[in-house]
């Protein structure tokens, strides 16, 4: 029974930084591609970043490339998202997700992920 819990969200001013954490249990962590997604009010859920299980290859949405960094700690079953130079358009609920694949092919396809956390709110505002 997979369980994913996101923490670290909150209110931050434009230009600020935040680190999100995802604690996981109930599955073999190093067998899963892991991803971060976000959903703003009135918009569809969109992919932010992914990281594969073994070699830690990454993918990023163009809108966050150079500002966000995804990482994982296989020893502790943790995934992180470091966000810098935050913009108001980054405001959304951020979700951690796991896919039953070591690789992250079609990494931005939402229905391809099997397990999801409940999300954590990130608000960027002055």
């Amino acid at each position: 029974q997979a369980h994913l819990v996101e923490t670290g969200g909150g209110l931050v001013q434009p230009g600020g930084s935040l680190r999100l954490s995802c604690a996981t249990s109930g599955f073999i962590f190093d067998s899963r591609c892991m991803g971060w997604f976000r959903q703003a009010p009135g918009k569809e859920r969109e992919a932010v970043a992914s990281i594969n299980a073994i070699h830690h290859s990454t993918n990023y949405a163009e809108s966050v490339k150079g500002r966000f960094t995804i990482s994982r700690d296989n020893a502790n079953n943790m995934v992180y998202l470091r966000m810098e130079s935050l913009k108001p358009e980054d405001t959304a609920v951020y979700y951690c997700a796991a896919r039953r694949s070591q690789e992250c092919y079609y990494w931005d396809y939402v229905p391809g992920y099997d397990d999801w956390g409940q999300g954590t709110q990130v608000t960027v505002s002055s």
Side-chain angles (χ1 to χ4, degrees), residues 3 17 39 60 84 88 91 116 118 121:
H3 190 56
S17 299
Q39 188 165 21
Y60 295 95
E84 297 177 289
T91 296
W116 296 81
Q118 292 298 302
Q121 177 71 48

Side-chain angles (χ1 to χ4, degrees), residues 12-58:
V12 63
Q13 292 188 320
S17 299
L18 213 56
R19 189 175 86 153
L20 306 183
S21 298
C22 175
T24 74
S25 62
F27 60 90
I28 301 173
F29 184 75
D30 63 5
S31 74
R32 300 287 196 107
C33 162
M34 301 299 298
W36 284 98
F37 294 76
R38 66 187 182 187
Q39 188 165 21
K43 297 183 66 178
E44 294 184 352
R45 191 167 299 188
E46 65 175 357
V48 175
S50 73
I51 183 165
N52 77 7
I54 305 300
H55 297 100
H56 297 188
S57 297
T58 58

